[in-house]
Amino acid sequence: MMLYTAAEIAAAIEGLASQIAADHRRQPLVLLGVLKGAICLTADLARALAGSADGPSEIMVDYLCVQRYGESGKAGKPARLAADASLPLEGINLVLVDNVVDRGVTLAYLQALLAQRRPAQLRTCVLFDKAARREVEIPIDYRGFAVPDVFVIGYGLDYKESYRNLPYLTELREGQTV
């Protein structure tokens, strides 16, 4: 079942970029994407922000990678940093970008970790929010869509490393082909 089309996702990203631009007028900004899922969102946000006439004075993009999944593909392990950002983060305006938040464990871990690095400002942007699964309440400054508690794929979200490239978000049901 299709949840959000490519056009709906593109419009939501433009809206998120407008909010981020308004909050960071004429200030340098780092978008810090969470790999692997947020690679599409981070790139599309950076492009949308670049088109903002009165947005950030400069936009830098960096990534980090967090692992929480075992070989079974199920979450449950404690979050651990598998690859760190390469840019210095102290004293900068930072927007942490992730494609989905469900239980909140990974983003809570990253927010705490990044706060220790003393950015001038730390905000969080999430495109898909599965609030029904939330175990840890976390602040989300920029939010795209509410998503039901179903297994979704597309626009950065995968099933066994496949389907991240889909330009839309859809539910994956057992035995279904996409």
Side-chain angles (χ1 to χ4, degrees), residues 20-21 24-31 45-46 49-61 87-88 92-95:
I20 292 168
H24 298 91
R25 282 190 172 98
R26 293 179 288 283
Q27 302 170 25
L29 176 66
V30 172
L31 296 176
L45 262 178
L49 283 165
S52 172
D54 198 27
S57 61
E58 109 185 66
I59 301 160
M60 295 160 278
V61 175
L87 293 173
I92 56 99
N93 295 310
L94 178 63
V95 175

Side-chain angles (χ1 to χ4, degrees), residues 34-178:
V34 180
L35 292 176
K36 296 180 187 175
I39 194 164
C40 298
L41 174 58
T42 307
D44 288 347
L45 262 178
R47 284 191 289 268
L49 283 165
S52 172
D54 198 27
S57 61
E58 109 185 66
I59 301 160
M60 295 160 278
V61 175
D62 202 353
Y63 292 93
L64 49 70
C65 185
V66 176
Q67 292 182 335
R68 288 199 58 246
Y69 296 89
E71 290 181 21
S72 68
K74 298 200 182 242
K77 293 186 172 206
R80 75 172 186 83
L81 198 59
D84 205 346
S86 60
L87 293 173
L89 303 178
E90 185 173 343
I92 56 99
N93 295 310
L94 178 63
V95 175
L96 178 62
V97 180
D98 205 353
N99 60 342
V100 66
V101 59
D102 51 21
R103 294 178 18 198
V105 174
T106 301
L107 279 180
Y109 165 76
L110 286 173
Q111 287 173 341
L113 176 76
L114 295 170
Q116 293 172 2
R117 297 180 182 182
R118 299 188 320 233
Q121 186 176 75
L122 173 59
R123 294 189 176 176
T124 301
C125 176
V126 173
L127 185 57
F128 304 118
D129 184 5
K130 282 189 181 183
R133 294 184 48 92
R134 195 83 77 248
E135 293 175 8
V136 178
E137 287 306 315
I138 53 169
I140 300 171
D141 303 286
Y142 312 105
R143 183 184 329 254
F145 297 108
V147 176
D149 188 15
V150 296
F151 195 94
V152 292
I153 55 171
Y155 201 78
L157 295 167
D158 73 299
Y159 174 69
K160 297 184 179 179
E161 296 299 325
S162 294
Y163 308 115
R164 288 186 199 279
N165 61 309
L166 298 176
Y168 52 84
L169 188 75
T170 188
E171 179 181 356
L172 180 66
R173 296 181 180 159
E174 193 171 328
Q176 173 186 354
T177 56
V178 178

Side-chain angles (χ1 to χ4, degrees), residues 8-25:
E8 290 170 323
I9 290 170
I13 291 168
E14 286 294 328
L16 292 168
S18 292
Q19 293 172 46
I20 292 168
D23 288 344
H24 298 91
R25 282 190 172 98

